[in-house]
Amino acid sequence: MEYGVALPTMVRGVEGRDLPAWAHRAEAAGFADLAVLDRLVYGNDEPLVALAAAAAVTERIRLTTGILIAPYRGNTALVAKQAASVHHLSDGRLSLGVAAGARPDDYAASGAEFGDRGRRLDAMLAEMRKIWAGGDIGPEPPGGDPEILVGGRAPAALRRAVAHGDGYFAAAGPPRTFAERAAEVRRRWQEAGRPGSPRVVAQAYYALGPGADAAVREHLGDYYSFAGRLADMMIKGAPTTPERLRETAGAFAEAGCDELVLVPCASGPEQLDLLAETLEEAA
């Protein structure tokens, strides 16, 4: 199982100059992937813009939107061009994770319809494939199209991953839930007659070091303030010690995870260093 780490774009108070430094440090630490989350009605940097900045200071690490809420971006051709541009600027390192999202306020702020977002995402993914295949909208993706990972919890999202994606990107949650969804995606993949196997990626929040518990409560309590009991579940499930983080990683590996992306609840560079040390000890 590979390990990725998310840029702390969602952490309140993170400074813009910290994000390229974090990206460079993550690559030097040997992580396979640098991911970024998406929201519109929140204080985060836009995901593809953030990854373009990361592309400029890295050479090897994969760059992933984990995930991009595509349907509130109404111009499919523009999204395809933006994604192709990041893929081009990074010499073919973009992995485009997409999902329909669950927050009506993001859609209201962009003037997009919420109720038919799944149907529109299906159409967007098919159109982006056609755009990348050639035509007037560039740049031409180097070394082939960006990988597409489809996220979401609903059965429609699992179907979408098989119909349009190269794999599945699971939302944060317990390993047992991931195992069930990953197994379902793999089953559907085989039934559809698709060659090979889908790449399945999981996500987990974490904080380490002094103040880790407080950082988790503050960050996830704020980010999931709309979610009631789900916020409490997320806080309880986020590892805050090396021992718990290694247990969590082991559980995801046993669940058949190809890559685990760790999402920091604090933005200090020590979070990246402590994570790398913990995972190295688990190897």
Side-chain angles (χ1 to χ4, degrees), residues 52-53 56 99 107 166 210 260:
Y107 282 82
D166 302 297
L260 176 61

Side-chain angles (χ1 to χ4, degrees), residues 14 35 40-41 64 69 95 107 113 133 139 154 171 190 202 215 224 245 248:
V14 65
L40 184 58
V41 186
T64 297
I69 306 172
S95 180
Y107 282 82
E113 290 294 326
Q190 290 182 342
Y224 287 101
L245 196 149
T248 298

